[in-house]
Amino acid sequence: MTGRPPKGRTWGRRGTTPTVKVSRRSRGRLSVAGLLCYRPGLPARLCYRLRRHTGRKGERRSLGETDYIRLLDGTHQLLKAPLIVVWDRLSTHTSKSMKALVAERDWLTAVLLPGYAPELNPVEGLWAHIKRSLANLATRTLGELETLLRRRLKALQYRHGILSGFFAGTGLALDRPNWPGSAEVSCRRR
């Protein structure tokens, strides 16, 4: 996300188009990674990592493998359970260094989505929801945008019904095998 607001629609006075002036100067950007955690019988959870990029020379403009693995490590500590991560095919998710980092963690299993399948990724619904809430909103500084984004994500952490709705929107269902004591969970199309 950058300081330039996403476009949205609004009602204006008859005959006039409302306009908002924003600076075109780049003041940096924010990168956000999120995990929507689902387990049968428990409320959905949202874990996220936000990183500010100032645009300095040589600075990475997006989240790297270490950022994603820190998010996964933190989520594992929070949930105290093994994780099965279903990822899109972002180059950072499929890199050799990420595969090595995943292989070092026996509690982590990574599964890739098909080539282009945003409709199967519940996090895409989360980002669409967040971007809709930011439409037509102009912030003056990257700090303001960061504060606002953190507030929106924090508020969503307590809206378990909405978080569950992102998963329901994919058309997938969580299955639990019938045998007792099994911790294995699988996903299937409804």
Side-chain angles (χ1 to χ4, degrees):
M1 299 187 144
T2 61
R4 200 170 347 170
K7 291 181 183 176
R9 296 185 184 267
T10 185
W11 293 97
R13 285 191 332 198
R14 187 177 200 127
T16 61
T17 302
T19 58
V20 177
K21 291 186 179 186
V22 269
S23 170
R24 294 198 179 270
R25 198 168 43 98
S26 177
R27 299 172 301 243
R29 62 189 296 139
L30 296 174
S31 293
V32 188
L35 288 176
L36 288 169
C37 307
Y38 301 101
R39 195 171 188 176
L42 294 175
R45 303 282 300 261
L46 168 63
C47 299
Y48 62 90
R49 185 168 185 81
L50 192 126
R51 184 165 180 208
R52 180 188 251 185
H53 309 282
T54 57
R56 292 189 181 120
K57 190 173 184 176
E59 181 184 40
R60 186 180 173 113
R61 291 183 46 154
S62 62
L63 294 171
E65 287 86 351
T66 55
D67 295 307
Y68 284 105
I69 213 67
R70 285 183 186 140
L71 173 61
L72 293 169
D73 287 340
T75 302
H76 174 63
Q77 288 178 346
L78 176 72
L79 299 177
K80 296 176 180 42
L83 299 179
I84 301 171
V85 180
V86 181
W87 268 335
D88 58 12
R89 293 183 181 266
L90 181 70
S91 61
T92 309
H93 297 164
T94 59
S95 71
K96 288 181 182 179
S97 58
M98 181 57 83
K99 288 177 184 176
L101 290 167
V102 169
E104 292 173 3
R105 291 155 174 80
D106 60 345
W107 48 264
L108 179 59
T109 304
V111 179
L112 292 174
L113 285 170
Y116 181 74
E119 70 279 0
L120 297 178
N121 189 349
V123 177
E124 293 294 338
L126 168 72
W127 298 139
H129 179 80
I130 291 289
K131 286 179 182 177
R132 262 193 313 277
S133 76
L134 296 175
N136 290 332
L137 182 77
T139 58
R140 287 180 294 239
T141 66
L142 193 60
E144 286 179 12
L145 179 62
E146 183 178 3
T147 301
L148 183 64
L149 187 57
R150 284 186 190 278
R151 282 187 190 146
R152 301 271 165 97
L153 288 167
K154 185 73 171 173
L156 269 176
Q157 284 182 313
Y158 300 102
R159 310 273 316 265
H160 304 295
I162 291 176
L163 298 177
S164 295
F166 296 137
F167 186 78
T170 66
L172 299 173
L174 290 175
D175 285 339
R176 178 165 269 195
N178 295 332
W179 60 88
S182 173
E184 196 174 311
V185 176
S186 64
C187 257
R188 65 168 172 81
R189 280 272 187 179
R190 289 185 195 186

mmCIF file of all heavy atoms in Angstrom, residues 90-113:
data_model
loop_
_atom_site.group_PDB
_atom_site.id
_atom_site.type_symbol
_atom_site.label_atom_id
_atom_site.label_comp_id
_atom_site.label_asym_id
_atom_site.label_seq_id
_atom_site.Cartn_x
_atom_site.Cartn_y
_atom_site.Cartn_z
ATOM 1 N N LEU A 90 3.391 -16.698 -5.055
ATOM 2 C CA LEU A 90 4.258 -15.529 -4.984
ATOM 3 C C LEU A 90 5.706 -16.015 -5.006
ATOM 4 O O LEU A 90 6.041 -17.024 -4.375
ATOM 5 C CB LEU A 90 3.970 -14.758 -3.697
ATOM 6 C CG LEU A 90 4.763 -13.486 -3.444
ATOM 7 C CD1 LEU A 90 4.339 -12.404 -4.425
ATOM 8 C CD2 LEU A 90 4.545 -13.018 -2.020
ATOM 9 N N SER A 91 6.572 -15.327 -5.715
ATOM 10 C CA SER A 91 7.955 -15.797 -5.859
ATOM 11 C C SER A 91 8.659 -15.965 -4.518
ATOM 12 O O SER A 91 9.474 -16.874 -4.351
ATOM 13 C CB SER A 91 8.749 -14.846 -6.761
ATOM 14 O OG SER A 91 8.773 -13.554 -6.191
ATOM 15 N N THR A 92 8.325 -15.129 -3.541
ATOM 16 C CA THR A 92 8.927 -15.273 -2.218
ATOM 17 C C THR A 92 8.494 -16.578 -1.554
ATOM 18 O O THR A 92 9.262 -17.197 -0.832
ATOM 19 C CB THR A 92 8.543 -14.078 -1.324
ATOM 20 O OG1 THR A 92 8.814 -12.874 -2.027
ATOM 21 C CG2 THR A 92 9.325 -14.080 -0.034
ATOM 22 N N HIS A 93 7.267 -17.010 -1.794
ATOM 23 C CA HIS A 93 6.769 -18.260 -1.200
ATOM 24 C C HIS A 93 7.409 -19.488 -1.821
ATOM 25 O O HIS A 93 7.500 -20.537 -1.183
ATOM 26 C CB HIS A 93 5.251 -18.376 -1.377
ATOM 27 C CG HIS A 93 4.489 -17.307 -0.671
ATOM 28 N ND1 HIS A 93 3.163 -17.050 -0.966
ATOM 29 C CD2 HIS A 93 4.819 -16.427 0.294
ATOM 30 C CE1 HIS A 93 2.729 -16.071 -0.213
ATOM 31 N NE2 HIS A 93 3.718 -15.665 0.557
ATOM 32 N N THR A 94 7.824 -19.395 -3.074
ATOM 33 C CA THR A 94 8.338 -20.566 -3.784
ATOM 34 C C THR A 94 9.855 -20.566 -3.944
ATOM 35 O O THR A 94 10.403 -21.453 -4.591
ATOM 36 C CB THR A 94 7.701 -20.654 -5.190
ATOM 37 O OG1 THR A 94 8.008 -19.461 -5.912
ATOM 38 C CG2 THR A 94 6.196 -20.846 -5.105
ATOM 39 N N SER A 95 10.544 -19.598 -3.347
ATOM 40 C CA SER A 95 11.997 -19.505 -3.513
ATOM 41 C C SER A 95 12.720 -20.654 -2.816
ATOM 42 O O SER A 95 12.183 -21.298 -1.907
ATOM 43 C CB SER A 95 12.502 -18.165 -2.972
ATOM 44 O OG SER A 95 12.420 -18.151 -1.558
ATOM 45 N N LYS A 96 13.942 -20.889 -3.220
ATOM 46 C CA LYS A 96 14.760 -21.952 -2.612
ATOM 47 C C LYS A 96 15.010 -21.668 -1.139
ATOM 48 O O LYS A 96 14.966 -22.575 -0.317
ATOM 49 C CB LYS A 96 16.089 -22.092 -3.350
ATOM 50 C CG LYS A 96 15.969 -22.701 -4.716
ATOM 51 C CD LYS A 96 17.328 -22.837 -5.375
ATOM 52 C CE LYS A 96 17.177 -23.409 -6.776
ATOM 53 N NZ LYS A 96 18.477 -23.526 -7.461
ATOM 54 N N SER A 97 15.288 -20.409 -0.807
ATOM 55 C CA SER A 97 15.545 -20.092 0.597
ATOM 56 C C SER A 97 14.302 -20.294 1.461
ATOM 57 O O SER A 97 14.395 -20.749 2.600
ATOM 58 C CB SER A 97 16.091 -18.672 0.749
ATOM 59 O OG SER A 97 15.201 -17.736 0.211
ATOM 60 N N MET A 98 13.110 -19.998 0.915
ATOM 61 C CA MET A 98 11.878 -20.233 1.679
ATOM 62 C C MET A 98 11.652 -21.725 1.870
ATOM 63 O O MET A 98 11.266 -22.165 2.951
ATOM 64 C CB MET A 98 10.680 -19.596 0.987
ATOM 65 C CG MET A 98 9.380 -19.778 1.746
ATOM 66 S SD MET A 98 9.403 -19.153 3.440
ATOM 67 C CE MET A 98 9.073 -17.451 3.154
ATOM 68 N N LYS A 99 11.900 -22.524 0.832
ATOM 69 C CA LYS A 99 11.754 -23.974 0.959
ATOM 70 C C LYS A 99 12.688 -24.514 2.039
ATOM 71 O O LYS A 99 12.314 -25.387 2.815
ATOM 72 C CB LYS A 99 12.029 -24.660 -0.378
ATOM 73 C CG LYS A 99 10.921 -24.433 -1.382
ATOM 74 C CD LYS A 99 11.243 -25.064 -2.725
ATOM 75 C CE LYS A 99 10.164 -24.728 -3.738
ATOM 76 N NZ LYS A 99 10.475 -25.221 -5.068
ATOM 77 N N ALA A 100 13.902 -23.976 2.110
ATOM 78 C CA ALA A 100 14.854 -24.405 3.137
ATOM 79 C C ALA A 100 14.371 -24.003 4.541
ATOM 80 O O ALA A 100 14.468 -24.792 5.484
ATOM 81 C CB ALA A 100 16.232 -23.817 2.863
ATOM 82 N N LEU A 101 13.832 -22.781 4.675
ATOM 83 C CA LEU A 101 13.329 -22.327 5.965
ATOM 84 C C LEU A 101 12.133 -23.167 6.427
ATOM 85 O O LEU A 101 11.999 -23.489 7.607
ATOM 86 C CB LEU A 101 12.938 -20.850 5.889
ATOM 87 C CG LEU A 101 14.093 -19.860 5.765
ATOM 88 C CD1 LEU A 101 13.577 -18.474 5.387
ATOM 89 C CD2 LEU A 101 14.894 -19.800 7.054
ATOM 90 N N VAL A 102 11.261 -23.530 5.492
ATOM 91 C CA VAL A 102 10.103 -24.369 5.822
ATOM 92 C C VAL A 102 10.570 -25.771 6.231
ATOM 93 O O VAL A 102 10.063 -26.348 7.193
ATOM 94 C CB VAL A 102 9.117 -24.439 4.633
ATOM 95 C CG1 VAL A 102 8.059 -25.513 4.844
ATOM 96 C CG2 VAL A 102 8.450 -23.081 4.421
ATOM 97 N N ALA A 103 11.571 -26.304 5.524
ATOM 98 C CA ALA A 103 12.074 -27.655 5.816
ATOM 99 C C ALA A 103 12.699 -27.739 7.208
ATOM 100 O O ALA A 103 12.700 -28.805 7.828
ATOM 101 C CB ALA A 103 13.083 -28.071 4.753
ATOM 102 N N GLU A 104 13.216 -26.637 7.738
ATOM 103 C CA GLU A 104 13.821 -26.608 9.074
ATOM 104 C C GLU A 104 12.788 -26.726 10.188
ATOM 105 O O GLU A 104 13.141 -26.978 11.335
ATOM 106 C CB GLU A 104 14.603 -25.303 9.279
ATOM 107 C CG GLU A 104 15.830 -25.167 8.433
ATOM 108 C CD GLU A 104 16.455 -23.779 8.564
ATOM 109 O OE1 GLU A 104 15.954 -22.940 9.358
ATOM 110 O OE2 GLU A 104 17.444 -23.522 7.853
ATOM 111 N N ARG A 105 11.528 -26.522 9.892
ATOM 112 C CA ARG A 105 10.471 -26.511 10.908
ATOM 113 C C ARG A 105 9.586 -27.737 10.725
ATOM 114 O O ARG A 105 8.782 -27.788 9.803
ATOM 115 C CB ARG A 105 9.672 -25.214 10.783
ATOM 116 C CG ARG A 105 10.484 -24.015 11.207
ATOM 117 C CD ARG A 105 10.016 -22.730 10.567
ATOM 118 N NE ARG A 105 10.730 -21.592 11.099
ATOM 119 C CZ ARG A 105 11.956 -21.241 10.712
ATOM 120 N NH1 ARG A 105 12.577 -21.937 9.782
ATOM 121 N NH2 ARG A 105 12.547 -20.191 11.249
ATOM 122 N N ASP A 106 9.683 -28.676 11.669
ATOM 123 C CA ASP A 106 8.905 -29.909 11.548
ATOM 124 C C ASP A 106 7.420 -29.691 11.816
ATOM 125 O O ASP A 106 6.592 -30.515 11.464
ATOM 126 C CB ASP A 106 9.472 -30.997 12.460
ATOM 127 C CG ASP A 106 9.460 -30.611 13.930
ATOM 128 O OD1 ASP A 106 9.278 -29.410 14.238
ATOM 129 O OD2 ASP A 106 9.630 -31.513 14.771
ATOM 130 N N TRP A 107 7.032 -28.575 12.401
ATOM 131 C CA TRP A 107 5.636 -28.274 12.697
ATOM 132 C C TRP A 107 4.943 -27.536 11.552
ATOM 133 O O TRP A 107 3.767 -27.203 11.645
ATOM 134 C CB TRP A 107 5.533 -27.430 13.969
ATOM 135 C CG TRP A 107 6.463 -26.260 13.994
ATOM 136 C CD1 TRP A 107 7.701 -26.217 14.577
ATOM 137 C CD2 TRP A 107 6.271 -24.976 13.396
ATOM 138 N NE1 TRP A 107 8.281 -24.985 14.376
ATOM 139 C CE2 TRP A 107 7.420 -24.208 13.657
ATOM 140 C CE3 TRP A 107 5.244 -24.404 12.661
ATOM 141 C CZ2 TRP A 107 7.564 -22.896 13.218
ATOM 142 C CZ3 TRP A 107 5.391 -23.104 12.215
ATOM 143 C CH2 TRP A 107 6.537 -22.369 12.497
ATOM 144 N N LEU A 108 5.681 -27.276 10.470
ATOM 145 C CA LEU A 108 5.151 -26.468 9.370
ATOM 146 C C LEU A 108 5.070 -27.270 8.074
ATOM 147 O O LEU A 108 6.037 -27.898 7.662
ATOM 148 C CB LEU A 108 6.059 -25.246 9.154
ATOM 149 C CG LEU A 108 5.696 -24.280 8.030
ATOM 150 C CD1 LEU A 108 4.307 -23.692 8.235
ATOM 151 C CD2 LEU A 108 6.732 -23.168 7.964
ATOM 152 N N THR A 109 3.897 -27.241 7.454
ATOM 153 C CA THR A 109 3.698 -27.847 6.140
ATOM 154 C C THR A 109 3.188 -26.757 5.210
ATOM 155 O O THR A 109 2.231 -26.054 5.543
ATOM 156 C CB THR A 109 2.648 -28.981 6.209
ATOM 157 O OG1 THR A 109 3.063 -29.929 7.177
ATOM 158 C CG2 THR A 109 2.468 -29.643 4.866
ATOM 159 N N ALA A 110 3.838 -26.605 4.061
ATOM 160 C CA ALA A 110 3.419 -25.593 3.083
ATOM 161 C C ALA A 110 2.852 -26.288 1.856
ATOM 162 O O ALA A 110 3.447 -27.215 1.327
ATOM 163 C CB ALA A 110 4.589 -24.705 2.693
ATOM 164 N N VAL A 111 1.681 -25.840 1.417
ATOM 165 C CA VAL A 111 1.002 -26.378 0.237
ATOM 166 C C VAL A 111 0.743 -25.199 -0.695
ATOM 167 O O VAL A 111 0.347 -24.124 -0.246
ATOM 168 C CB VAL A 111 -0.342 -27.036 0.638
ATOM 169 C CG1 VAL A 111 -1.065 -27.560 -0.571
ATOM 170 C CG2 VAL A 111 -0.131 -28.109 1.680
ATOM 171 N N LEU A 112 0.971 -25.387 -1.975
ATOM 172 C CA LEU A 112 0.771 -24.305 -2.940
ATOM 173 C C LEU A 112 -0.599 -24.409 -3.612
ATOM 174 O O LEU A 112 -1.049 -25.505 -3.954
ATOM 175 C CB LEU A 112 1.859 -24.337 -4.010
ATOM 176 C CG LEU A 112 3.263 -23.989 -3.534
ATOM 177 C CD1 LEU A 112 4.267 -24.193 -4.669
ATOM 178 C CD2 LEU A 112 3.339 -22.573 -3.025
ATOM 179 N N LEU A 113 -1.219 -23.272 -3.804
ATOM 180 C CA LEU A 113 -2.463 -23.209 -4.574
ATOM 181 C C LEU A 113 -2.132 -23.420 -6.054
ATOM 182 O O LEU A 113 -0.985 -23.253 -6.462
ATOM 183 C CB LEU A 113 -3.123 -21.840 -4.397
ATOM 184 C CG LEU A 113 -3.827 -21.584 -3.074
ATOM 185 C CD1 LEU A 113 -4.195 -20.110 -2.966
ATOM 186 C CD2 LEU A 113 -5.059 -22.438 -2.940
#
